[in-house]
Amino acid sequence: MLLYFITVTFGIAANGHLRTIEHETGLEVSNISYRLPRHIRPILYEIFLEPHLEPGLNPATFTGAVIIELKVMEKANNVTLHGKQLNLTENKIKILHTSGQEIGISKIVKDDLRDFFIFYTITSLIEDETYILIIEEYHGILNLENKGFYLAKYYDKRGRERRLATTQFEPTYARQAYPCFDEPHMKAEFIISLIRSENFSSISNEELLHTTNLGGGRYKDTYKKTVIMSTYLTAFVVSDYKHTNKTERHRVFADEDAIDNGEAEYALKTAIELLTTFEHYFNVNYTLSKMDQIAIPDDYFKNGAMENWGLVTYRKSLLLYSNLSASIIERQFITETIAHEFAHQWFGDLVTCVWWRYIWLHEGFADYFQSFITALVKPEWDVSQTFLLESVHKALRHDNSNTTKPMNYDYINPEDEFDYNAYAKGGSVIRMFEHFLTSSVFKRGLSIYLNKYAFSTAKPHDLYGALQKALKIEKKEHLLANLTVSDILVTWDSQSGYPVVNVKRNYQTGSITLSQRCFRFNEKIEDNSVWYIPINIFTAQNSSSDTTADFWLINSTDTIQYSLSKNSWLLVNKQQTGYYRVNYDRVNWMNLIGFLNDQNINDIPVLNRAQLIDDTFNLARAGQLHYYTPLFLSKYLVKETEYAPTQAFLNAIEFLNLVLFDAPEYSLFQNYVIDILSGLYKNLGFVKKQNDRHLDKRTRINVLRWLCKIGHKECRENSLKYILSWQKDNKTSLTPDMEEYVFCGAMRIANYNSWTFLYQKYEKAANTSHKRRLLLGLGCSEDENILNRFLDKILRNNSSLSIKERNSILIAVSDASSVGLNLLLDYLGKNFEELQSRVNLKDLLASISPKLTTSEQLNKVINLCNKYNLSPLLFEKVMKDPKENIQWRKREFLDVIKSWLITFSETSVTKNLLDHLM
C-alpha cells in the first residue's frame, strides 16, 4: 500500500533544478524505441498540482509533487518513467521500499529525445516487491501550446481577461504535467489534489473528497481515488467557471455568461439521454459516479473534444448551444460530438488499446457510435444518411493513395497525429461487420468484449474473439461460410486502401463474375491485396433489409450463378454497408441508369442511390469508368428528394468545378448543375417550411450554398434582398439556418457598401456561431478589390483574431470561389514576410493544396513552401494532390466531360439514347 506519512511541500529549492543530469547522445532517431522498459509498473499515483494563474504572470507556471507506488516485475537497477518540460530538484527525489527503507539513487539521466527520466539505484530493485518513488517538488510552465497542463484565456462581458489551467494529455502529454509512465497499457489508480486560490474552483476525473484551507487564500481540493486508468485520461481544470445544477450524474461547466444565458442546458439534457442509452445498449454501466463536461475557449483547444474519464473537455463551440443562434447543422454536430466522447467512456477508457497502433479500437467505435446512438436518441434525424456521407464516403475519398495507412499502424513517434483512417475508416469497417454479423451478434460480442477486458487493455484479436464467441452462442457461424471473424477482419485492419468489386454478368448463362482489386486514383500503383469481402445482391425482386453476406469473395476472382432477366438491374452492396466500391458491366449500368431516370427511384434504397452517385464519379475520375456513366446517371437527380444522394452529387462535382473553372465550357457546367438541382430548389424553396424534416433543412442549406456558388441568379439575388432589407430597416428575419447560405450567397454579388454593412455586423456580434457565419460569408465575395480589403482587415490591420480563426477564414475564402483561391495565393506570396507570424502556413497550405489544378497555382505554392522552408516530408504531402490534379487534366477525361456538356447536358435520358452511346 502507499505510504501516506510522506509530507509534500511546495517550497522552491535553492537552484530549482536537478544538479546532476546526464543526457544520452549518439542515438540514431530511426533506431530509437520510444517505449518504456517493462520491468516496473505503476500501481497508484498521488498527484499534487498548483497552477499559478495570477494576472500578468508571464509565463504562467505550476508547481507539482508526485508519489508513485511501483511494482517491480523483474529485477532492475533503475526506475525509468516519462517527464517533459519539467524541472526536478535532485535532493527532493527518493525511492523507498514499502518497509520504509530508502533505496539510494546513484545517478539521474534525462533523455530529452524520448522524454525519459531514469533514476539509477545503488542497490537492485527486487522482483515482485513494491517500492515508492517520491518527487517532493518539481516545476513546469503552463504552456500556450494547447497540450499537457496548459494556460487558456477568455474575456468576460466587461472585457476583462480571465485565465484557466486545463489539460490535454492524449496521446503523450500527461508527462508534461507530472512524471509518469505515460503509455496506455501502464494503467494505475490516481489520487489528485489541486491547490487553488479562493476565487477559483477545480474539477478532476472523480468526485471532490474534501477541501483543506491552507491559509493565505489558498485551498487544496482532494479528489476521490480513481478507478484503474491510463495516464492520458487523467484531467483537471482550475478556473472561475460556473456550472449547471447537477442533474442525475451530470454537470456542464462554462464561463459565467454562457451558464447564465442557458447555453449549457442543451448539452446537459442531451448528455443524460445519451449516457443512459449507451448503458442500455452495451449492457455495461458507466463506471464513474459523475460525468462533467466543460467548455474550453475555442482558441485554446486543438481538437474537437477529449474523452477524459468523468471530465470531458470540449471546444466551446462544440458543447454550448443557443436556440437563438445555432443552426441545425451545429445542433447535430454538438449532439454527435457528445456521443463520440461518451462512446469513449467504454471504448478507450474502460477498455484501452494496448498501444497506439490499435487506436482505431477507440476512434473507430467512437466514430460509429456517435451516429448509431444519436440515431436511437434522435430517430427523426435519419442519421444513417449523414453517417454514410460524413464517414463512409469521406473515408473512401481519403483511403485511396499510395501513402494511405492501414488501420493497424505503428506510429514511430507517439506524438505523430493519428491517421484519418483510425476514425472514419475504423467506423466504416465496424459498421460493415455489424451488418454481416447481424446486430444481435454484434451487440452481444461487444458486451462480451467490454466485460472481459474492463480496466485492462486489448488488441483487435481480442475483439474478434469476443465477436466469434457471440456468433457461436447465437448459432450463426454459417453466416461466415467456414471463415472466422479474425480471418475476415485481418484483411481489413492490416492492409491499406480498400477494394473495388467489378461485377460482370453473363446475360446468356446467368452467371456473374466478381473480381476485386485495390482502388486507387493513380492506376500506376501496383497493389495485389486481396480482401475477404461480404457480397450481397439486391434486385427489384428481393429485399434490401437483409445485409448479411450472400457470398464471400475471398479470391481475386470468382463466379456465381444468379438468375435474372437481361433487362433487369442488380446492385451489389446493400445499403452500402460494405467498405468497398462497385463497378458493373456496360449493360447493367444502362439498366440502372434507365430505371432511375424512368421509374420510381424509391424502389432503390436511398443509401444505394447515394452509393451509385459516389461510386460512378470516383470510378470515372480514376479512369475505371467512362465519364458518360456518372453524368447520365446524375440526370435522375432532378427527381431526388433525399439528403444522401444529393450530397453525394455535391461532393462529386466539387472536383469537376475546380478543374473546369477556366474552361470555355464552364457555363455549360454551371447550367448542368443548376438543372440537376432545380427539382430540389423547387421542392424545398428558399425558406423553411412547416413540414420540413430535419434532413430537408440540411439539404436546403447545402443546395442553396451550391446554387449561389455555381451562379444561380435567383439564389444570389434572393440572398442579397435579405441583406439590403436588413441594411434598410436595421432588423433581420434571417434564421441561423438561413444565415448558413444567405450571407455567402449575398456577398457574391454585393457591392462594397453592403459588404461593409455585413462586416460592421460582424464586428459588433457577440455570439460565436453567428460571428462565424458572418465571417465565412464575408469571404464569399467575388470582387477582387473587396477580397483584398478583407484580407487586409483580418491579416494586416491589428486584428484581434487568433491564428486559428485567420486560418479558418482563409480556407473559407479559398473554398468559396476560384477568384478567392487565386487571389489568396497572390496575396500570401506578396505579403509573406509580414504574414508568416499571423497564420499557420503549414496547415493552410495543407488545406489549400487539394484545390490546386493548374501549373500556375502549383508554382505559387512551391514558392511559398520555399520561403517557409517547409520540411521535405511536408513539402511532399502538399505537392501530392496538385500534381495528381494537373496530371488528371492532361488525360482525356476533361475532353470527354466537355463533349458531354456540349452534346447531352440538356438531353433527356432514354433507353435508346443509352443503347446508342454506352
Side-chain angles (χ1 to χ4, degrees), residues 569-584:
W569 51 264
L570 66 78
L571 270 171
V572 169
N573 199 7
K574 294 178 184 178
Q575 310 287 353
Q576 202 176 6
T577 53
Y579 184 67
Y580 56 91
R581 297 196 185 280
V582 185
N583 200 355
Y584 302 98

Side-chain angles (χ1 to χ4, degrees), residues 442-484:
F442 178 72
K443 184 175 179 180
R444 185 188 291 269
L446 295 189
S447 184
I448 292 170
Y449 171 75
L450 292 170
N451 279 290
K452 183 174 181 178
Y453 297 101
F455 307 108
S456 186
T457 57
K459 298 179 180 179
H461 280 286
D462 299 320
L463 170 67
Y464 304 159
L467 294 169
Q468 190 70 41
K469 184 175 180 180
L471 201 66
K472 184 175 182 179
I473 291 171
E474 299 216 359
K475 295 180 171 53
K476 292 184 178 179
E477 292 163 295
H478 64 279
L479 293 174
L480 305 191
N482 297 319
L483 299 170
T484 67

Side-chain angles (χ1 to χ4, degrees), residues 433 436-437 441 460-461 463-471 480 482-493 532 552:
F433 66 70
F436 72 64
L437 290 170
V441 171
H461 280 286
L463 170 67
Y464 304 159
L467 294 169
Q468 190 70 41
K469 184 175 180 180
L471 201 66
L480 305 191
N482 297 319
L483 299 170
T484 67
V485 174
S486 182
D487 290 338
I488 296 164
L489 292 182
V490 163
T491 70
W492 297 93
D493 70 19
Y532 286 10
W552 286 92

Side-chain angles (χ1 to χ4, degrees), residues 619-634:
L619 287 165
R621 181 176 171 182
Q624 298 181 32
L625 187 64
H626 196 285
Y627 251 109
Y628 276 22
T629 304
L631 292 169
F632 275 124
L633 173 68
S634 67

Side-chain angles (χ1 to χ4, degrees), residues 490-522:
V490 163
T491 70
W492 297 93
D493 70 19
S494 299
Q495 299 184 122
S496 62
Y498 58 88
V500 53
V501 173
N502 289 289
V503 180
K504 187 174 182 180
R505 295 170 58 185
N506 185 318
Y507 293 87
Q508 281 70 47
T509 66
S511 67
I512 302 175
T513 300
L514 300 112
S515 60
Q516 62 167 294
R517 62 186 294 195
C518 185
F519 179 81
R520 302 285 193 207
F521 277 143
N522 186 348

